[in-house]
Amino acid sequence: MRLVIRQYLESLKERGELDVMLPDLLSQMGLEVFLSPGIGTRQLGVDVAAVGSVNGSVDTVFLFSIKSGDLSRKEWSSGNPQDLRPSIEEIVEQFIPQRVPPEHKSKPIEICLCFGGEIKEDVRPDVTAFENKVESREPNLKFSEWNGDRLADLIEKHFLREELLPKESRSLLRKSLAMLDEPTVSFQHFSSLIKLLCNEGKNPKKTLTVLRQIYICTGILFAWCRDADNIESAYKSSELVLLRSWDICRPYLGKSDKSSRAILNAFDAIFNLYINISSYFLEKKVTPFCDKLHALSSAVNSSNSVDVNLKLFDILGRLSLAGIWVLWFSSRLADEAEQKRLALGELIYEYQESVKKLIVNNPLLYSPYKDDQAIEIALALLFLSIENKNNNNIQAILNRLSESIYNQFSFNTNYPANIYSYSELIEHPVNNTEEYRKSVTNGSVLYPLISIFSAIYGETEAYEIMKKLKEEYLTHCNYQIFFLDETSEDYLYNFDEMHGATLSHININQAPDKLLDEVNNECELSDNIKDLSAVKYNFWPLLLVASRHHRLPVPINFVMELTKGDK
């Protein structure tokens, strides 16, 4: 296990990864962290500061200066102000006299050189000579080395010790790492690990420990996935981890006591890790190729169109969801943060352009093979809908979708079906009989979704094609829309039980405005969505993550919000 942790530490970046993990580790060791990157920017050479006793020693002030990877001559002193030596000089000359809290000034001070790797032998004499020189003139000051081996030992001792992460859990983590080339199997093992951990959090102290363990385990998985150049398991696992973590944090939302703040800070670290994994996947594997015809289709590397279709829709959902999170970030910025808002606005534009290019350059996205691909279609259209300039693109997508689906039925080729078995989906359609068609299309959330979007955006041609499809091929099919209900708060994030409600037999053989009135009226009656914690505490994109991850239809309330804007 220590080797697993060691490799993870070596891969961590200095900012946003190693400096996020360290404060939690120090807190778990019983130290009081009084300066953390989560509170402010780097201060006079110190990245993290804590006070307390380690291994029974006297109370000491620990001042950490963090570097990623190995410490070489370049990172030690190459003339860059961000090098470790000038940072330490800053600590000695400015931080200690000016920033150490008055109540701790009489305590011994330890400057900790912290990095995920080790000190290279060619620079060690320089480091040792510098430390001896400083210690000789500062009797209350000493240096220590917190390298990858020491950090790995502390993580194993305080985060992943046997009584906290028993053999079964350790085995699941190792199995997940061993099967990275088979992402589905790797995710299954990691999912079992997370469920075991989440069942342990029954009080604030245990909940905090569980969240920190989850963060470390997910970080280890991501690091190994990066090294293997296969992010799939880490991406799916990060979605699950985000949802499960929110679930066990719910009792502490809105509270301001010390334990609740620590728990919510731990959740923030998990959320940021999820965002980092998602961004890494998209930047490395998706967005550079969206503007190239069939590039992503070819990258699936399968001669079977089912494989290509499933993966393309999966990518469409991930990209759209990432864009929705950027929109959410932007909406939370203070009025004075204009520069950040502009930067996020550019990122939203880039993601929207990527979505549009992805669809245009991979025409198979106009031909869903499964009814539940309505989830990805809803996410894409919702994301594009935030800008009126995309209205023509949305109308074009709806038109192409409706035409393509109608042709799929007309020519009996891979029309959308309620089939969840991969082997059955490859064989679909088995024959051209009406009996078979009825058996695999007995219900749908896809066709009413397209009809509702068409009604909202005035795409009458697409709406009429949907009506024609219903009359000619799907008179038996129960058109449905999905709502969250009073049980959803308890099961949406963990999916321990099925939840939600549906409005059945949606009538699209009426005027578009009548359909919208009918659905809006039902939304007003079925408004449980406003009672969900993710909505109450303005974390609403989490509902869309849950829909995508657990394969639940996007709640129709999100779509009907578009009727309140100027389309």
Side-chain angles (χ1 to χ4, degrees), residues 295-350:
L296 288 168
S297 301
S298 302
V300 179
N301 196 26
S302 174
S303 58
N304 192 308
S305 67
V306 171
D307 294 327
V308 180
N309 182 276
L310 296 179
K311 194 60 193 176
L312 284 176
F313 273 96
D314 182 49
I315 290 172
L316 177 65
R318 297 185 189 192
L319 180 57
S320 302
L321 195 51
I324 290 170
W325 276 116
V326 178
L327 170 68
W328 174 83
F329 274 114
S330 180
S331 69
R332 289 166 59 91
L333 290 176
D335 291 339
E336 59 270 16
E338 186 61 28
Q339 190 171 359
K340 288 185 178 179
R341 184 174 287 104
L342 289 173
L344 290 177
E346 291 178 4
L347 187 56
I348 290 171
Y349 171 79
E350 290 174 11

Side-chain angles (χ1 to χ4, degrees), residues 386-405:
I386 65 176
E387 298 280 355
N388 286 339
K389 65 183 180 183
N390 295 322
N391 286 3
N392 290 339
N393 301 96
I394 293 174
Q395 291 172 326
I397 291 170
L398 292 168
N399 193 278
R400 288 285 301 274
L401 264 175
S402 57
E403 287 182 351
S404 180
I405 292 172

Side-chain angles (χ1 to χ4, degrees), residues 21 46 74 83 101 117 225 389 398 413 418 422 431 449 462 545 565:
M21 180 275 297
V46 175
K74 180 180 178 182
D83 291 341
C225 283
K389 65 183 180 183
L398 292 168
T413 56
N418 297 311
Y422 175 74
N431 57 54
L449 177 79
V545 176

Side-chain angles (χ1 to χ4, degrees), residues 337-399:
E338 186 61 28
Q339 190 171 359
K340 288 185 178 179
R341 184 174 287 104
L342 289 173
L344 290 177
E346 291 178 4
L347 187 56
I348 290 171
Y349 171 79
E350 290 174 11
Y351 275 170
Q352 287 186 332
E353 290 301 302
S354 293
V355 167
K356 291 185 285 189
K357 291 173 182 176
L358 172 66
I359 296 172
V360 169
N361 287 308
N362 299 273
L364 197 57
L365 284 168
Y366 293 117
S367 304
Y369 284 6
K370 296 180 66 179
D371 193 79
D372 71 354
Q373 287 170 333
I375 299 168
E376 283 70 35
I377 292 171
L379 292 175
L381 294 180
L382 284 172
F383 177 46
L384 293 178
S385 70
I386 65 176
E387 298 280 355
N388 286 339
K389 65 183 180 183
N390 295 322
N391 286 3
N392 290 339
N393 301 96
I394 293 174
Q395 291 172 326
I397 291 170
L398 292 168
N399 193 278

